[in-house]
Structures are given as C-alpha cells and as structure tokens.
Amino acid sequence: MKTIKSNFNEETLLEQLLENPHVSSQITKIRKGIHFSTELTSKNNVYFLIKGIAGIRYSERLVVIADQKSFIGLDDLLAKKAPIYTIEALEECEVIVFDCYEIMDFIFSMQEGWLYLYLNEKKHQETLVEKVQFLHEKGINRLTHTYYDLANRFGEPTTDGRILPKCFNLKRLAEIANISPNSVASFNEILKERDIIIKRGASCIVRITEPNQ
C-alpha cells in the first residue's frame, strides 16, 4: 500500500497523463465568481487545479474547498452514480481539463491502477466521515477549525499569522462551518478575545505562523 501511495501519487499521475498521447487535455482559466458550466462539471470530465481557489457545491451547498495541485472528480471514477456538483471559482482558477474515460483507460491499463483508485476512494470516504464528525462539534469549534484549516492551506504568511484570502468572507465562512452568518459575527468577537484571529479593516489574520501548528 505504501509503495502505491509513494510511487503513484497525484503528481506522478498528472505527469504521466500529460505525457500520454492517448489522453487529451486542455488548460483553461475560470474567472473569479464564475461557476463551471453544468456540462463541464459532469461525470465526463476530471480536473486538475493548477492554481486558484475553487469551492465545490453539492445540492447548492458549499461543502468542499479544493486543494491546490490536486484532482477534482477523480474520486467519482469508481462510483456507479457520481454525485451532481458544481464548481465555483472563489478566486481566479487555472485548471487542466481531462476526459474521465481516457483517464480510466489509462489507469486501468496499469497493474497498480485499480488499487490506486481504491485507495483514493477510501481516502475520500474517510474525509466524508471526518466531515460528519466535524458537524457534530460546537459551532465555535467548527468556526475555529475552519479558520485554522483555511489559513494553513491558503493564508499568506505574515509576522502576526496568516492572512485569509478575501474570498473567505462572512457568508462563505458560515457555509463552510455550517453555522449562520450571525453566529460567525458573534463567534468572531470571542475568537478575537482569545487571540485566535485579528481583524484589520477587511483583512482577517489567523494567529498561526507554521503550517499544522
């Protein structure tokens, strides 16, 4: 299992896909605030997020903030019926678009392909379990976790902590933490007193200086 994870990871898969003449790909930019079209976010495509911040919505609800340098839609390849979702560019995104059937043919042609997809699906399921556990936490704890997670993944380092991108406004924080905007505003006052966040005008600084601290 460890050999598959180390030798056949997303970076390796991307490199091999781009080098394969039988796998087509297209690099495109999605402007901030634009939703990927329903056609683009169908089960027929898989995406690799080169840069930018993308939010994935299931049933119109913002559920996942995609990691940069990662695939979107790869988890669905083994599913009999993939969930319908839309992708919103919270900041301008640059993505590589692949045909999912070409990716499937490529991966299944390799001995480790099935196992790679299985491990990828297993990781996805574990993430969903963590999300359910997250929703059972107190609202202020969910918001605190959300701040730390977003700051570690997307925050710009400063001497005081990490500045969150402005796309993570009060409304989006409320969606991600699954609490009301009024609760976010109320909890923010408590988190400022606890020195977890600092508000400077429209900027929000999360008081961490090292990733995963």
Side-chain angles (χ1 to χ4, degrees):
M1 295 289 187
K2 291 183 179 179
T3 301
I4 295 295
K5 291 181 180 179
S6 60
N7 294 340
F8 200 77
N9 51 36
E10 290 195 336
E11 182 179 347
T12 303
L13 176 59
L14 175 65
E15 181 179 337
Q16 293 184 7
L17 289 173
L18 293 176
E19 292 176 350
N20 192 303
H22 302 294
V23 177
S24 57
S25 63
Q26 177 185 356
I27 297 178
T28 184
K29 290 185 178 181
I30 309 296
R31 296 193 309 274
K32 177 180 178 179
I34 300 298
H35 284 75
F36 288 38
S37 70
T38 303
E39 180 180 354
L40 278 177
T41 51
S42 70
K43 195 182 177 182
N44 294 333
N45 291 314
V46 171
Y47 313 91
F48 186 86
L49 181 60
I50 300 173
K51 61 182 178 180
I53 301 177
I56 302 175
R57 294 180 178 273
Y58 292 87
S59 301
E60 300 301 318
R61 186 178 188 84
L62 183 61
V63 176
V64 177
I65 305 298
D67 289 322
Q68 294 182 355
K69 307 293 184 183
S70 68
F71 285 96
I72 301 174
L74 197 62
D75 303 325
D76 301 332
L77 293 186
L78 290 180
K80 292 183 179 179
K81 185 177 180 180
I84 302 299
Y85 56 83
T86 58
I87 305 172
E88 178 186 2
L90 306 184
E91 294 288 350
E92 183 177 81
C93 295
E94 184 174 354
V95 299
I96 306 175
V97 184
F98 294 97
D99 182 284
C100 77
Y101 298 107
E102 293 177 352
I103 288 184
M104 289 174 67
D105 288 342
F106 173 75
I107 292 178
F108 294 159
S109 68
M110 295 179 292
Q111 184 176 2
E112 64 269 48
W114 276 97
L115 184 54
Y116 171 77
L117 284 181
Y118 167 76
L119 293 174
N120 199 66
E121 172 64 15
K122 183 179 178 182
K123 179 181 177 182
H124 178 63
Q125 294 300 323
E126 290 172 350
T127 300
L128 293 179
V129 171
E130 291 175 359
K131 183 71 174 179
V132 172
Q133 294 173 340
F134 168 77
L135 293 175
H136 282 86
E137 296 180 8
K138 293 181 179 179
I140 192 169
N141 292 337
R142 295 203 300 271
L143 182 59
T144 301
H145 174 85
T146 298
Y147 273 126
Y148 283 141
D149 176 56
L150 296 177
N152 277 321
R153 293 164 62 195
F154 305 108
E156 179 184 347
T158 69
T159 55
D160 293 322
R162 288 175 175 259
I163 301 177
L164 286 185
K166 288 185 170 56
C167 64
F168 295 120
N169 53 31
L170 187 144
K171 181 181 177 181
R172 289 208 175 104
L173 288 169
E175 280 193 283
I176 298 169
N178 197 37
I179 55 181
S180 70
N182 286 339
S183 293
V184 173
S186 177
F187 291 151
N188 277 348
E189 297 305 312
I190 299 174
L191 296 181
K192 284 191 288 185
E193 291 178 2
R194 294 179 180 176
D195 200 31
I196 292 176
I197 62 172
I198 301 172
K199 290 287 189 176
R200 289 180 182 165
S203 298
C204 178
I205 301 172
V206 183
R207 295 282 285 170
I208 49 178
T209 55
E210 296 294 336
N212 303 319
Q213 183 173 331

